[in-house]
Amino acid sequence: MASNPTKTAAPTGGLTEKKHDRRSTSSESVSGTGFAEHADRTGTLNQNARLEASKKIANPLAGLSPQRLEAMGEEYAMMAGLNSEEDLRAFRLGARIAGDESNYDLIPELTEREKEVLVRETTHKWSNPPMLYWVVVICSLCAAVQGMDETVVNGAQLFYKDKFGIGTDSQRDTWLLGLVNSAPYLCCAFIGCWLTEPMNRIFGRRGTIFVSCIISAVACFHQAFTNTWWHMFIARFYLGLGIGPKSATTPIFAAECSPPKLRGALVMQWQMWTAFGIMVGYIADLAFYFVPDHGIGLGLNWRLMMGSAMIPAVIVVCLAFLCPESPRWYLSKGRHQDAFGALCRLRFEKVQAARDLFYTHTLLEAEKQAMAGVKKGNRFKELFTVRRNRNAVIASSGLMFMQQFCGVNIIAYYSSAVFRDAGFSDVSALAASLGFGVVNWLFAIPAMYTIDTFGRRNLLLTTFPLMSLFLFFTGFSFWIPEDSKAHIGCIALGIYLFGMVYSPGEGPVPFTYSAEAYPLYIRPIGMSLATATTWFFNFILSITWPRMVTAFKPQGAFGWYAGWNIIGFLFTLFLVPETKGKTLEELDHVFDVPLKKLVRYGAAQSLWFFHRGKNGKGMRPTAPSAEMYHGDAERMNEVVSEMGPTSVGQQLGEGEREKRWNKEREREGGIMGRGDAAGKV
């Protein structure tokens, strides 16, 4: 039940742009002293130069005067061949607005209509042209395709595993059933996800969605005509060629077409409509259950279940090219006039389109500087050699792993079998699975609000223990005597409660977190790694569950994943910093912290929580950041020297210097657990 990522260069999800960011002095972010100190901390100078360039991408128009911005806008319009007086005016004003001139009354050239539309972008963010919502419809259908692809197999396997001769509890049959069911995710992890970049480069966003939905539709159609387990494995394996690129491209397409204020909400809708598709997959299973065979060999009902997932894919294929291509993709191909035409269809006024096109062009130019001379292999290497990147990999990949090992997909893929083992009839098992799908969808809706209100870290710290509790409850309910009504009721209750806490927590958080954790110059590679991680462990979970539930029994199998949720809680507590409301530059500070600092903060936070609950006292710990520990090095030297001399010729080590510095900050009410002194992020 994976939602999927964005690799957009512009901030998405909770990665917000603060209004003052573009006005900040760009020279300060790359000042000589700070630059050198940063290079000393994280390795080679060229690696950190790219990190600094990545920060500059967040503020490409910082410090420029309105006159300079207007001149740049006009120069760009003429370079792009947009030479009409109307277009030149739009780009002059659009460039000035892109520099974060939010007081539109100071721009007398704007008409009243243009001012009204620009203000409504903030006050009524859902007020947009119909074409933008057509893009939303296409993206929602793509998410539904993904959800149905994942869950129609839930009911169909009740039939085809016996028809294919892999329906017993033998070791051979349980492993083969798991292999067949997990085939798409094996393909996604090793092939599909890595096709995203070349397909986007060749076909564009619309083209990639079009091609991947054709593959999905053909694969679903193929599944309906299989007659052996290995034939079904082949059909489901190449289904992964459609799932992988589509699931990675669709959120990018939505993000690149939407205004900045709406971007996060549209990205979050991927999870909600994937959950909707999962629910529709359960409905299809139930709807086709009673279809007679009509002389069809090996049965007809399960074939219709498997083939039904092609319906939304065919709809997307028919409608995909009725909406405009991503303007950002056009820009990457040097097709500036096409990009402007696409944006004019997605915005009310030309000034809006010119503003967004000019800003995106400036952003792309900054990205080119950030990646200048860097080969893809070197960028992949820097995921692990630069501490800021390495910490992002640990956090995002760990959350992607936990999205699977929290146990949600054993329910998404095998709930009908679980309910049947609990004593439900086949129809009741399918109906109970539909209940889980409804719960999963309904509780995904508030995630658009909670993820930016409560924060990613807090949501995970709250929901991991609850998911563990409800999986233990579900597994232990199998010990209730089967002749008791509580047996079935408690098992269903545990699964539904699990879905209620999964949907607003570990459901949407991992992909949102991963999309914002990486610096822009390596974000596409980081997101490919994150996506491949979740699909690989999706494959592991899918292939092992049939054998696990046979060997461990339901009590042990559910208990296994309940235990992993406890590990997920500890992982989040000690290794996952909060990213809510942070700009790209602030995220560099958040992740460029030694792991021991993050662990220490997690311990301090847990102690604070315990003491607060015990006596209502104590002050909230301050989250660590690179700025907190390194940004005021001169002040640290001053404080350390004032705290007493050392022996003649003795040099304090880094550990002793930091100990003295922290002691002074504690005295002043600063560091972790001592209030809100300087350094708080």
Side-chain angles (χ1 to χ4, degrees), residues 92-135:
R92 282 196 300 268
L93 298 178
R96 183 169 174 180
I97 298 169
D100 206 28
E101 180 62 81
S102 56
N103 190 347
Y104 304 120
D105 290 333
L106 297 179
I107 309 178
E109 296 89 346
L110 289 173
T111 66
E112 291 302 317
R113 165 63 178 168
E114 289 169 339
K115 291 179 183 179
E116 178 187 357
V117 168
L118 290 168
V119 169
R120 285 181 65 86
E121 282 185 328
T122 302
T123 59
H124 299 77
K125 69 178 184 180
W126 292 99
S127 175
N128 290 282
M131 184 54 68
L132 180 62
Y133 291 106
W134 185 249
V135 173

Side-chain angles (χ1 to χ4, degrees), residues 2 6 94 169 264 340 345 350 481 544 574 634 639:
T6 63
D169 290 336
F340 187 56
R345 297 174 66 189
K350 277 194 171 184
T544 57
F574 293 121
E634 293 183 3
V639 169

Side-chain angles (χ1 to χ4, degrees), residues 27-215:
S27 59
E28 292 177 1
S29 65
V30 290
S31 62
T33 303
F35 188 94
E37 290 173 356
H38 192 63
D40 290 340
R41 291 198 310 274
T42 57
T44 63
L45 189 63
N46 62 331
Q47 292 170 345
N48 288 281
R50 285 189 285 280
L51 283 177
E52 295 295 335
S54 185
K55 295 176 187 177
K56 181 68 180 296
I57 295 172
N59 313 305
L61 302 176
L64 299 178
S65 67
Q67 294 75 18
R68 175 57 182 152
L69 288 168
E70 289 187 9
M72 290 173 62
E74 186 169 340
E75 290 171 5
Y76 170 68
M78 297 180 68
M79 181 274 294
L82 300 165
N83 299 321
S84 71
E85 183 55 38
E86 183 182 10
D87 290 343
L88 291 175
R89 172 189 175 276
F91 276 93
R92 282 196 300 268
L93 298 178
R96 183 169 174 180
I97 298 169
D100 206 28
E101 180 62 81
S102 56
N103 190 347
Y104 304 120
D105 290 333
L106 297 179
I107 309 178
E109 296 89 346
L110 289 173
T111 66
E112 291 302 317
R113 165 63 178 168
E114 289 169 339
K115 291 179 183 179
E116 178 187 357
V117 168
L118 290 168
V119 169
R120 285 181 65 86
E121 282 185 328
T122 302
T123 59
H124 299 77
K125 69 178 184 180
W126 292 99
S127 175
N128 290 282
M131 184 54 68
L132 180 62
Y133 291 106
W134 185 249
V135 173
V136 174
V137 169
I138 297 298
C139 295
S140 299
L141 285 171
C142 287
V145 171
Q146 169 127 342
M148 285 195 71
D149 285 342
E150 293 181 6
T151 54
V152 289
V153 69
N154 191 304
Q157 67 180 308
L158 296 177
F159 301 96
Y160 72 62
K161 66 180 182 180
D162 293 324
K163 304 294 185 180
F164 293 165
I166 55 174
T168 71
D169 290 336
S170 68
Q171 184 170 336
R172 170 191 176 273
D173 287 356
T174 52
W175 279 113
L176 286 179
L177 177 63
L179 180 64
V180 169
N181 290 344
S182 64
Y185 319 119
L186 176 65
C187 179
C188 280
F190 292 102
I191 304 175
C193 290
W194 305 102
L195 290 177
T196 302
E197 186 175 12
M199 287 182 67
N200 274 267
R201 186 175 63 251
I202 297 170
F203 301 118
R205 311 294 189 235
R206 288 183 310 179
T208 299
I209 290 172
F210 178 81
V211 172
S212 60
C213 282
I214 287 179
I215 295 173

Side-chain angles (χ1 to χ4, degrees), residues 134-316:
W134 185 249
V135 173
V136 174
V137 169
I138 297 298
C139 295
S140 299
L141 285 171
C142 287
V145 171
Q146 169 127 342
M148 285 195 71
D149 285 342
E150 293 181 6
T151 54
V152 289
V153 69
N154 191 304
Q157 67 180 308
L158 296 177
F159 301 96
Y160 72 62
K161 66 180 182 180
D162 293 324
K163 304 294 185 180
F164 293 165
I166 55 174
T168 71
D169 290 336
S170 68
Q171 184 170 336
R172 170 191 176 273
D173 287 356
T174 52
W175 279 113
L176 286 179
L177 177 63
L179 180 64
V180 169
N181 290 344
S182 64
Y185 319 119
L186 176 65
C187 179
C188 280
F190 292 102
I191 304 175
C193 290
W194 305 102
L195 290 177
T196 302
E197 186 175 12
M199 287 182 67
N200 274 267
R201 186 175 63 251
I202 297 170
F203 301 118
R205 311 294 189 235
R206 288 183 310 179
T208 299
I209 290 172
F210 178 81
V211 172
S212 60
C213 282
I214 287 179
I215 295 173
S216 294
V218 172
C220 292
F221 188 76
H222 185 185
Q223 288 177 127
F225 287 87
T226 57
N227 294 303
T228 62
W229 69 262
W230 57 266
H231 195 184
M232 178 68 83
F233 171 81
I234 293 172
R236 287 184 59 75
F237 184 85
Y238 73 73
L239 175 62
L241 297 177
I243 290 178
K246 167 172 52 63
S247 61
T249 301
T250 305
I252 301 174
F253 183 46
E256 292 179 349
C257 290
S258 61
K261 297 293 183 182
L262 194 61
R263 189 170 295 138
L266 290 184
V267 172
M268 282 301 306
Q269 286 204 20
W270 173 264
Q271 169 67 18
M272 183 180 73
W273 291 106
T274 299
F276 178 79
I278 287 170
M279 180 184 70
V280 174
Y282 290 132
I283 293 174
D285 289 340
L286 195 59
F288 293 121
Y289 179 85
F290 293 102
V291 174
D293 292 347
H294 293 296
I296 303 296
L298 303 182
L300 177 61
N301 56 357
W302 66 267
R303 298 181 188 276
L304 294 176
M305 294 176 189
M306 298 298 286
S308 64
M310 72 178 290
I311 296 174
V314 171
I315 295 174
V316 173

Side-chain angles (χ1 to χ4, degrees), residues 217-433:
V218 172
C220 292
F221 188 76
H222 185 185
Q223 288 177 127
F225 287 87
T226 57
N227 294 303
T228 62
W229 69 262
W230 57 266
H231 195 184
M232 178 68 83
F233 171 81
I234 293 172
R236 287 184 59 75
F237 184 85
Y238 73 73
L239 175 62
L241 297 177
I243 290 178
K246 167 172 52 63
S247 61
T249 301
T250 305
I252 301 174
F253 183 46
E256 292 179 349
C257 290
S258 61
K261 297 293 183 182
L262 194 61
R263 189 170 295 138
L266 290 184
V267 172
M268 282 301 306
Q269 286 204 20
W270 173 264
Q271 169 67 18
M272 183 180 73
W273 291 106
T274 299
F276 178 79
I278 287 170
M279 180 184 70
V280 174
Y282 290 132
I283 293 174
D285 289 340
L286 195 59
F288 293 121
Y289 179 85
F290 293 102
V291 174
D293 292 347
H294 293 296
I296 303 296
L298 303 182
L300 177 61
N301 56 357
W302 66 267
R303 298 181 188 276
L304 294 176
M305 294 176 189
M306 298 298 286
S308 64
M310 72 178 290
I311 296 174
V314 171
I315 295 174
V316 173
V317 168
C318 295
L319 301 180
F321 282 95
L322 296 181
C323 62
E325 177 58 271
S326 161
R328 194 180 190 280
W329 184 82
Y330 277 137
L331 281 182
S332 70
K333 298 298 181 181
R335 297 166 61 178
H336 299 272
Q337 295 183 29
D338 290 334
F340 187 56
L343 271 173
C344 286
R345 297 174 66 189
L346 296 167
R347 303 291 186 268
F348 282 118
E349 296 291 331
K350 277 194 171 184
V351 167
Q352 293 174 291
R355 173 202 60 192
D356 293 344
L357 183 62
F358 174 75
Y359 187 75
T360 303
H361 167 73
T362 307
L363 199 67
L364 286 172
E365 292 301 310
E367 284 182 357
K368 290 178 182 178
Q369 294 179 16
M371 299 184 205
V374 186
K375 296 180 180 179
K376 182 179 292 187
N378 292 338
R379 279 186 278 152
F380 185 83
K381 180 181 178 181
E382 288 182 16
L383 281 173
F384 306 98
T385 58
V386 178
R387 182 172 64 196
R388 181 261 182 271
N389 301 340
R390 184 170 60 248
N391 287 352
V393 169
I394 292 171
S396 67
S397 297
L399 292 181
M400 288 295 196
F401 166 81
M402 282 308 310
Q403 188 180 61
Q404 301 305 320
F405 268 62
C406 72
V408 64
N409 282 334
I410 63 176
I411 299 171
Y413 304 157
Y414 295 103
S415 60
S416 297
V418 170
F419 284 127
R420 190 168 70 170
D421 292 342
F424 286 69
S425 66
D426 283 354
V427 175
S428 297
L430 291 172
S433 295

